[in-house]
């Protein structure tokens, strides 16, 4: 498969959970884990993660839906939410703190660049 790092792949979620467990087991003195907010659409052009696994999961969840519709945008973001859930569950199971941090870029005048909602 070409899209092994898709957050919608069950196998990636299992790998990620194992990675976090290994990290916290190997380095037990770590106080916690801080993760950057996941990015689903780096270019904000709605074109990411149209891989066969993600598409099939969407079609199963929304049989009458169309790839790219409003439900698709929410669905694909749910994959990143799942990764955050895994992070927090693994960290808390090992009595560690877990944080998700969001950083927005700024314009030259100092104002934040906002998401261009359609």
């Amino acid at each position: 498969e070409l899209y092994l790092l898709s957050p919608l792949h069950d196998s990636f979620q299992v790998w990620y959970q194992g990675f976090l467990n290994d990290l916290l087991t190997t380095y037990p003195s770590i106080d916690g884990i801080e993760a950057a907010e996941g990015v689903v659409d780096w270019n904000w052009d709605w074109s990411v993660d149209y891989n066969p696994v993600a598409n099939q999961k969407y079609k199963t969840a929304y049989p009458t839906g169309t790839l790219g519709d409003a439900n698709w945008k929410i669905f694909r973001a749910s994959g990143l939410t799942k990764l955050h859930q895994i992070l927090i569950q693994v960290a808390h199971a090992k009595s560690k703190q877990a944080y998700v941090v969001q950083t927005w870029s700024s314009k030259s005048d100092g104002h934040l660049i906002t998401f261009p909602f359609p």
Side-chain angles (χ1 to χ4, degrees):
E1 294 181 0
L2 299 175
Y3 300 95
L4 298 177
L5 296 179
S6 168
L8 294 168
H9 269 255
D10 295 333
S11 59
F12 178 71
Q13 292 175 12
V14 169
W15 175 87
Y16 183 62
Q17 183 173 4
F19 168 78
L20 294 169
N21 272 306
D22 184 55
L23 175 71
L24 295 174
T25 299
T26 302
Y27 302 99
S29 63
I30 290 175
D31 294 328
I33 300 174
E34 179 179 289
E37 180 185 21
V39 176
V40 134
D41 195 350
W42 191 260
N43 296 312
W44 293 359
D45 63 2
W46 306 111
S47 64
V48 299
D49 216 4
Y50 286 103
N51 69 76
V53 170
N55 293 350
Q56 185 54 53
K57 283 186 171 188
Y58 177 76
K59 290 174 185 175
T60 299
Y62 297 92
T64 61
T66 303
L67 292 172
D69 66 13
N71 286 327
W72 166 249
K73 294 169 188 172
I74 293 167
F75 178 78
R76 70 178 184 169
S78 72
L80 291 174
T81 299
K82 177 66 176 174
L83 294 184
H84 296 321
Q85 290 171 334
I86 291 169
L87 170 94
I88 290 165
Q89 289 169 347
V90 169
H92 289 181
K94 295 196 176 283
S95 300
K96 304 294 183 178
Q97 296 292 314
Y99 303 94
V100 177
V101 178
Q102 181 181 36
T103 304
W104 285 33
S105 300
S106 64
K107 299 177 188 177
S108 60
D109 66 4
H111 289 88
L112 294 179
I113 298 173
T114 60
F115 182 82
F117 289 102

